[in-house]
Amino acid sequence: MSSELLAPLDLAFWHLESPAHPLHLGALAHFGPLPVTTGHEPADVLGLLARRAAAVPRLRMRVRDVLLPVGGSAWTADPDFDVRHHVHEIAVPGADFPAEAARLAAELMERPVARGLPPWEMYLLSGAPDGSFAVLVKLHHALADGMRAVAIGAGIFDEIAAGRRPANRQRPVPPRSWLPGPGQLLGMARDRIGDLGRAVEVGASVVGASVVRAGRLDGRPALAAESSGTRRIATVTLSLDRVHRVRRATGGTANDVLIAVVAGALRRWFDGRGLPFPGADPRALVPVSRRRPGTPPGPGNSLSGYLVDLPVTEPDPTARLAAVRTAMDRNKAAGPFRGAGAIALLADRLPPLAHRFGAPLASGAARLLFDLLVTQVPLPRSALSLGGAPLRALFPMAPLARGQSLAVAMSPYDGRVHIGLVADGEAVPDLDALAEALTAELDLLDPPTS
């Protein structure tokens, strides 16, 4: 893997970023103590993490500009790659390790990754009294979508690393030329005409949905605050068995249940703040992978999205779930090429130069299309470990677009749903209250047994 052009959507994420609005994905993984039988010491974990990260070919790639296509960029192997620039250890003070780790993770998530290097970072958070530890992973969104991020990040786990061959550490051979031949030029022109036609179709759906949305932006004081660039992180764990119990009783999917739980938690959160309910239900963007099930994740991003009006104004939890299920069924019937959620597909049809110069104008468009992000990141179903230390929980973290105050990411693993909440620190200072509301909402749908 010597070089590879950034796909249009990856290029869009690369240029949409600003110092105050970093666009990296994240995950905070909590591990139990190292078993004595492995022979590993706590001091060994940092080296193990560094060696395994360095062995993932994708993590040795950086972005550089190219001559053609005009405005484009390419992934190229970094000839001076040094994993020590990316993997760090931080001792976490205090007896409440999970809370302190989340606080520190929020500070680290505020900082953009270095753009002159391969765009990722990992932090070993150590110092828990019982010998447990955490790992924070940051990957620029241009490098990966959620599924690809899981495939890349999985390389640090024992179960994945054991079956992987070492990375080729030879100096990469640059491509002979970025100048296409005549046949390639004809093919590029034909593809561009097709892309423009598809862009018009998708763009019409995006604009139509946006016009409808423009009249519904009143009454969202908690979610429409100006971005401060600060971050707060909260985590919560729900029982996957209970989620499936609700699904079996009501129909739909587990994801429908979780989205309804988010809607109910927002209603509870608004009420707890003493705020009036919004004049229009807040709209969530639910990313949808365009990768075919069972196929390798492949490079870059392959995304569209569904838009769901979260029924915050509906007081009955069962009716909220029914409304979510109806909305998701409608989205699936229409497909990922319709509605403002298809903005990612529109980005995929634009030429590189449009992303380079249009990003400053497009960066504020997210708030016109949706109010928050709600996404699910799948994890391997098998048990995972690092140096023999079992993975206890993995909380995914989604980026915040300009003008957005809240992102909710969920990952089922080991019979539980691990939820990572990322919020603007000034707009949502009481994020822990929202985390607690998620648990309370599941209790409404599936009352706990005494």
Side-chain angles (χ1 to χ4, degrees):
M1 185 190 298
S2 57
S3 60
E4 160 194 314
L5 287 175
L6 266 74
L9 184 54
D10 302 345
L11 195 63
F13 285 131
W14 189 249
H15 290 303
L16 281 170
E17 182 177 66
S18 69
H21 302 90
L23 279 179
H24 47 256
L25 309 171
L28 182 61
H30 286 272
F31 295 88
L34 292 166
V36 176
T37 55
T38 64
H40 288 297
E41 299 291 337
D44 298 334
V45 176
L46 183 65
L48 183 64
L49 190 64
R51 290 192 300 274
R52 290 182 176 175
V56 178
R58 198 73 185 173
L59 296 183
R60 304 172 70 89
M61 307 290 281
R62 65 182 177 89
V63 176
R64 71 176 181 87
D65 293 338
V66 297
L67 293 177
L68 290 176
V70 177
S73 298
W75 292 109
T76 184
D78 185 355
D80 301 315
F81 177 78
D82 187 342
V83 73
R84 293 174 297 181
H85 294 153
H86 302 268
V87 178
H88 314 277
E89 181 175 8
I90 301 177
V92 178
D96 190 352
F97 181 82
E100 289 298 323
R103 181 195 59 77
L104 180 57
E107 294 180 6
L108 295 171
M109 290 293 286
E110 291 178 7
R111 309 174 190 174
V113 295
R115 293 175 74 86
L117 300 172
W120 63 275
E121 298 169 358
M122 290 187 189
Y123 293 87
L124 171 63
L125 308 181
S126 58
D130 64 351
S132 61
F133 59 93
V135 174
L136 174 68
V137 180
K138 293 168 57 177
L139 300 173
H140 197 284
H141 210 335
L143 183 64
D145 56 23
M147 289 185 67
R148 180 63 181 168
V150 170
I152 292 173
I156 71 170
F157 294 115
D158 300 335
E159 294 74 15
I160 309 300
R164 187 184 56 209
R165 293 181 298 178
N168 182 5
R169 298 172 185 271
Q170 296 180 352
R171 191 176 183 86
V173 177
R176 293 182 179 179
S177 174
W178 285 105
L179 296 175
Q184 290 174 299
L185 284 172
L186 180 61
M188 290 169 63
R190 186 167 51 245
D191 290 344
R192 180 55 58 205
I193 292 172
D195 282 349
L196 288 175
R198 288 186 291 270
V200 170
E201 178 186 0
V202 175
S205 294
V206 172
V207 171
S210 302
V211 169
V212 172
R213 183 63 174 164
R216 305 181 58 203
L217 292 176
D218 299 328
R220 298 182 297 119
L223 297 176
E226 290 297 327
S227 300
S228 67
T230 60
R231 294 289 180 270
R232 286 185 181 272
I233 288 174
T235 61
V236 64
T237 301
L238 302 179
S239 165
L240 186 57
D241 286 343
R242 296 180 66 196
V243 170
H244 282 300
R245 191 155 58 223
V246 175
R247 174 191 60 80
R248 288 191 295 269
T250 61
T253 68
N255 199 41
D256 295 342
V257 176
L258 290 170
I259 294 172
V261 166
V262 172
L266 284 172
R267 177 182 174 86
R268 184 180 295 265
W269 179 61
F270 273 111
D271 191 48
R273 275 187 157 195
L275 295 173
F277 293 123
D281 284 329
R283 175 176 285 180
L285 173 65
V286 180
V288 178
S289 175
R290 292 186 284 131
R291 305 186 194 277
R292 298 179 63 181
T295 60
N301 289 268
S302 184
L303 293 171
S304 182
Y306 294 148
L307 293 176
V308 180
D309 290 335
L310 300 180
V312 169
T313 54
E314 170 57 59
D316 180 58
T318 303
R320 283 197 295 268
L321 176 53
V324 167
R325 186 170 61 248
T326 298
M328 288 297 289
D329 288 346
R330 187 186 310 119
N331 275 318
K332 293 170 187 175
F337 290 86
R338 294 290 185 271
I343 186 80
L345 292 175
L346 178 60
D348 232 0
R349 308 300 183 194
L350 297 178
L353 203 60
H355 292 303
R356 185 176 291 271
F357 293 106
L361 298 176
S363 62
R367 67 190 307 169
L368 297 176
L369 301 176
F370 60 94
D371 302 304
L372 71 157
L373 180 72
V374 181
T375 184
Q376 185 170 152
V377 181
L379 292 178
R381 294 185 178 181
S382 58
L384 300 171
S385 60
L386 175 59
L391 177 66
R392 289 176 170 173
L394 190 147
F395 300 100
M397 299 175 193
L400 293 179
R402 185 187 298 272
Q404 301 292 304
S405 300
L406 177 65
V408 182
M410 302 173 282
S411 283
Y413 173 73
D414 193 26
R416 292 166 292 175
V417 181
H418 301 101
I419 302 177
L421 305 173
V422 178
D424 184 277
E426 293 187 11
V428 191
D430 55 343
L431 190 60
D432 288 340
L434 182 57
E436 293 173 359
L438 289 166
T439 300
E441 284 305 308
L442 182 57
D443 288 344
L444 283 180
L445 290 169
D446 180 48
T449 57
S450 54

